[in-house]
């Protein structure tokens, strides 16, 4: 009797692990590259925001591939949480002023010829 119910549980547990009847949500893959050149592919649910940074297996912070510091004009990204949003979370307003001044100076001096 006890043996029988145990066997039943085992079968039930197995069927839960099976991939059958699992409806996979639409996915996209984003790639992260760390300073050591490791590439990490991260599958995300469609519509989910990709974090800008991901911790690489080597412990370094990997950056979202194809994203640079001058991508603020990227109209394709669903910028719900932008670089700017993260920036102002991390820095005080005074610090930001300094950064902005530096940034504007760089623009004026033509550091970003392709930037629009
Ligand atoms: Zn790495």
């Amino acid at each position: 009797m006890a043996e029988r119910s145990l066997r039943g549980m085992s079968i039930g547990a197995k069927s839960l692990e099976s991939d059958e009847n699992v409806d996979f949500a639409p996915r996209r893959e984003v790639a992260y590259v760390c300073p050591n050149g490791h590439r990490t592919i991260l599958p995300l649910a469609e519509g989910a925001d990709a974090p800008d940074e991901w911790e690489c297996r080597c412990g370094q912070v990997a950056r979202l591939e194809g994203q640079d510091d001058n991508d603020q004009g990227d109209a394709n990204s669903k910028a719900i949480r932008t670089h700017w949003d993260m920036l102002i979370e991390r820095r005080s307003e005074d610090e930001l002023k300094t950064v902005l001044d530096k940034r504007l100076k760089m623009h004026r001096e033509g550091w970003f010829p392709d930037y629009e």
Side-chain angles (χ1 to χ4, degrees):
M1 190 63 175
E3 212 176 85
R4 208 184 153 99
S5 65
L6 272 178
R7 210 180 292 142
M9 276 180 70
S10 155
I11 290 164
K14 241 180 214 158
S15 76
L16 278 176
E17 283 168 18
S18 160
D19 281 345
E20 281 174 61
N21 301 322
V22 175
D23 226 356
F24 283 109
R27 304 218 164 198
R28 65 194 176 108
E29 289 184 338
V30 290
Y32 292 86
V33 182
C34 89
N36 293 330
H38 302 135
R39 205 153 167 272
T40 307
I41 305 292
L42 191 68
L44 289 180
E46 197 68 56
D49 283 333
D52 274 4
E53 292 172 353
W54 191 257
E55 193 181 325
C56 181
R57 58 186 179 270
C58 70
Q60 296 281 338
V61 174
R63 303 280 304 171
L64 192 58
E65 191 175 56
Q67 277 203 294
D68 299 308
D69 286 336
N70 60 345
D71 65 347
Q72 290 173 35
D74 186 1
N76 290 329
S77 69
K78 271 171 58 182
I80 294 166
R81 196 156 172 271
T82 62
H83 281 286
W84 180 255
D85 292 328
M86 292 180 204
L87 196 69
I88 55 180
E89 279 172 19
R90 283 199 299 249
R91 302 202 188 245
S92 76
E93 214 168 299
D94 277 351
E95 279 179 311
L96 280 174
K97 270 179 197 151
T98 312
V99 171
L100 182 64
D101 280 349
K102 214 181 274 180
R103 226 32 208 187
L104 286 173
K105 191 163 182 281
M106 286 165 84
H107 277 285
R108 279 197 289 267
E109 291 172 359
W111 281 60
F112 304 112
D114 297 329
Y115 185 89
E116 266 315 319

